[in-house]
Amino acid sequence: MAKWGQGDPRWIVEEREDGTNVNNWHWTERDATSWSKGKLRELLVGIAVENEAGRCEISELKQVEGEASCSSRKGKLIFFYEWNIKLGWKGIIKESGAKHKGLIEIPNLSEENEVDDTEVNVSKKKGDGNILKDLMKTAGTAKVREALGDYLKALKTEFTMGMILPTKAMATQELTVKRKLSETTLQASSPVALGVRIPTVALHMTELFDTAIEQLYRIFTVKDLVQKFSKSPAVLEAEKGRKFQMFDGNITGEYVELLTNKKIVMKWRCRNWPEEHYAIVALNFVPNLGQTELQLDCKGVPVCEEENMKFCWQKQHFEEIQGLLQLITLNG
């Protein structure tokens, strides 16, 4: 397979305003190398395992060599990735308090092998502490493979958003799927114009957060907190009628309704959605025995973006907010 940037220029469609890839026919290619290095670091560093004898944690990404890319041709995505990864781990034996260090090497993570078959080698510096090495070879290796699987899932969903554009043929096929669809239309009783008419689906998701309603509500409405959980610049002013941008402008929308500590309703869209099409996202904050249950109801999601939408909210919102809440708790 040709390396990134070495494809036949006759088949490459440049990403430019006037270079629309009609019906996804032409070969398009996107370099995923830099994104992948960041994602692998995010998913692997910090993995911890523990048993009655000791505790181990992956402390650093020592080396990540290789490349990754995604290509699109005739509406199909083709993935290429090949990585040589070295991780540093450290551990402590509970009974003696002795500390030990070692390495985890993944010599060939590629599309040629299933994640469960990917070679993961664990080693330890000289001396005692084999009990920790055994812990990393069993529970640690399992968690590493799980993280590698999460990387591949993100590569095929999060990274590829926008590479396959909706077509008339896709819309016709999606209408035959046996699922309850809604049509995004402007109803006389609706206060919000949802834009173009395309096949859509509704989503419902819930997540329980170990925090007060007031704190969770602030995380969604205070710019500094939004930037912390999204790990990217944001532009927002949480008032009815105000527009917002998140994730470097990949998510945009407008506040439709805000009931302090109770409910937020937004017009919401991803950058790669059909122009002027918005979903309606409603967040309901419900007290639950000292915790807060967040109920997400979303209407008007393009059918072809359903899985991406679920991934976006579960991974990039819920899980990142859980992590931010843990940091807030640790820092008092």
Side-chain angles (χ1 to χ4, degrees):
M1 178 178 287
K3 292 186 177 181
W4 168 254
Q6 296 180 357
D8 190 329
R10 294 173 299 175
W11 296 100
I12 303 296
V13 175
E14 295 180 1
E15 293 187 9
R16 59 188 190 189
E17 292 183 0
D18 61 345
T20 302
N21 189 5
V22 180
N23 289 327
N24 305 297
W25 181 262
H26 299 293
W27 181 282
T28 60
E29 190 174 14
R30 183 182 294 178
D31 184 10
T33 301
S34 179
W35 176 90
S36 293
K37 289 180 178 180
K39 180 60 68 172
L40 287 166
R41 182 184 301 276
E42 173 190 328
L43 292 171
L44 291 167
V45 175
I47 287 177
V49 290
E50 185 173 359
N51 61 15
E52 65 281 357
R55 184 182 188 277
C56 298
E57 178 181 340
I58 295 178
S59 55
E60 61 178 319
L61 180 61
K62 288 182 170 290
Q63 172 186 300
V64 53
E65 295 181 345
E67 60 181 324
S69 64
C70 178
S71 302
S72 170
R73 171 70 166 130
K74 296 183 179 180
K76 295 182 179 180
L77 292 175
I78 304 167
F79 297 92
F80 169 79
Y81 53 92
E82 188 171 24
W83 295 108
N84 183 344
I85 303 168
K86 290 184 181 180
L87 304 157
W89 65 269
K90 60 184 180 180
I92 183 170
I93 298 176
K94 292 181 178 180
E95 184 176 356
S96 64
K99 297 180 180 180
H100 297 274
K101 294 182 178 182
L103 290 175
I104 296 177
E105 297 182 77
I106 306 166
N108 184 29
L109 173 65
S110 73
E111 76 279 0
E112 296 178 356
N113 302 308
E114 297 293 333
V115 170
D116 290 342
D117 299 326
T118 299
E119 185 178 355
V120 179
N121 300 319
V122 178
S123 61
K124 184 188 65 63
K125 291 187 177 181
K126 293 181 180 180
D128 297 329
N130 285 330
I131 194 170
L132 296 178
K133 179 182 175 182
D134 292 340
L135 176 60
M136 288 303 293
K137 289 181 70 173
T138 53
T141 294
K143 283 204 169 185
V144 166
R145 287 201 173 108
E146 181 181 346
L148 296 178
D150 289 340
Y151 156 68
L152 296 181
K153 181 179 179 181
L155 176 65
K156 296 175 181 180
T157 55
E158 176 185 340
F159 179 78
T160 58
M161 289 180 68
M163 289 194 71
I164 299 295
L165 303 176
T167 66
K168 290 182 179 180
M170 290 170 61
T172 301
Q173 292 172 0
E174 285 154 357
L175 283 170
T176 65
V177 176
K178 294 182 178 180
R179 113 175 17 158
K180 184 178 180 180
L181 301 177
S182 61
E183 290 290 332
T184 305
T185 56
L186 177 61
Q187 301 294 333
S189 60
S190 173
V192 181
L194 297 183
V196 298
R197 182 185 179 95
I198 61 172
T200 63
V201 65
L203 302 179
H204 176 75
M205 302 173 68
T206 61
E207 183 80 3
L208 190 63
F209 294 90
D210 189 15
T211 190
I213 284 182
E214 295 80 5
Q215 177 71 286
L216 187 59
Y217 186 88
R218 290 183 71 247
I219 287 176
F220 279 97
T221 55
V222 176
K223 178 180 176 180
D224 181 55
L225 294 174
V226 170
Q227 292 183 147
K228 285 183 177 179
F229 86 73
S230 66
K231 300 176 181 176
S232 61
V235 178
L236 65 92
E237 189 174 347
E239 294 182 6
K240 183 178 179 179
R242 296 282 189 174
K243 297 184 184 298
F244 63 84
Q245 292 185 14
M246 297 172 57
F247 297 99
D248 285 325
N250 285 304
I251 302 300
T252 57
E254 179 181 323
Y255 293 104
V256 176
E257 180 183 5
L258 296 104
L259 299 177
T260 304
N261 301 329
K262 293 183 178 180
K263 186 176 185 179
I264 300 173
V265 180
M266 303 169 283
K267 290 174 60 179
W268 196 100
R269 63 172 273 108
C270 290
R271 175 181 287 171
N272 63 298
W273 286 10
E275 188 175 356
E276 296 302 318
H277 178 78
Y278 288 84
I280 293 297
V281 172
L283 302 175
N284 290 283
F285 300 79
V286 181
N288 189 334
L289 300 175
Q291 299 178 308
T292 301
E293 181 179 82
L294 183 65
Q295 299 176 351
L296 166 72
D297 287 291
C298 186
K299 298 179 180 179
V301 179
V303 172
C304 57
E305 294 293 334
E306 179 180 0
E307 292 305 314
N308 284 341
M309 188 69 163
K310 291 178 181 178
F311 181 90
C312 175
W313 278 96
Q314 185 61 48
K315 294 291 184 180
Q316 297 178 315
H317 287 74
F318 297 165
E319 293 186 14
E320 293 296 339
I321 290 173
Q322 296 283 17
L324 176 59
L325 287 170
Q326 291 178 8
L327 287 176
I328 293 173
T329 300
L330 289 174
N331 293 332

